[in-house]
Amino acid sequence: MRDRVRLNPGEELKLEGSRTKGPLGETEIDTYSVINKAGEVVGSVVHSDHTAIKGFKRTQTLVQKDAEGSVLVDKRW
């Protein structure tokens, strides 16, 4: 997941929270803040990891936004 996020030099991800969704918790959703060198929040990342109940097919999505809410990365694999 981290290789798909676009970070500027000095920026890092900080995990803000995790939750599960679905009747069997088949979707894990992690929310991160993008922090710059000065410690300011300059964006956000939401990573979802879904495992299908039937067939166990795994799908991941990643959405990265800047501080204004513009989408920088929107990937699914």
Side-chain angles (χ1 to χ4, degrees), residues 7-18:
L7 297 176
N8 294 321
E11 292 181 341
E12 60 183 41
L13 294 176
K14 177 184 175 192
L15 181 64
E16 296 293 336
S18 295

Side-chain angles (χ1 to χ4, degrees), residues 1 4-5 8 12 15-16 18 20 27 29 31 34 36 41 52-54 58 61 63 67-68 74 76-77:
M1 186 277 308
R4 298 177 192 261
V5 177
N8 294 321
E12 60 183 41
L15 181 64
E16 296 293 336
S18 295
T20 58
T27 303
I29 302 169
T31 305
V34 179
N36 66 10
V41 176
I53 296 171
K54 288 188 174 187
R58 184 175 177 203
T61 58
V63 178
E68 289 79 36
D74 187 357
R76 179 185 177 115
W77 67 98

Side-chain angles (χ1 to χ4, degrees), residues 21-36:
K21 186 170 115 176
L24 298 175
E26 64 269 18
T27 303
E28 297 174 13
I29 302 169
D30 297 324
T31 305
Y32 299 87
S33 291
V34 179
I35 309 293
N36 66 10

Side-chain angles (χ1 to χ4, degrees), residues 19-77:
R19 64 184 176 100
T20 58
K21 186 170 115 176
L24 298 175
E26 64 269 18
T27 303
E28 297 174 13
I29 302 169
D30 297 324
T31 305
Y32 299 87
S33 291
V34 179
I35 309 293
N36 66 10
K37 287 186 218 180
E40 302 166 329
V41 176
V42 294
S44 64
V45 174
V46 176
H47 175 246
S48 299
D49 189 345
H50 177 265
T51 303
I53 296 171
K54 288 188 174 187
F56 297 107
K57 181 180 175 188
R58 184 175 177 203
T59 305
Q60 297 183 60
T61 58
L62 179 120
V63 178
Q64 179 180 358
K65 296 182 180 180
D66 63 14
E68 289 79 36
S70 300
V71 176
L72 302 174
V73 178
D74 187 357
K75 297 195 180 232
R76 179 185 177 115
W77 67 98

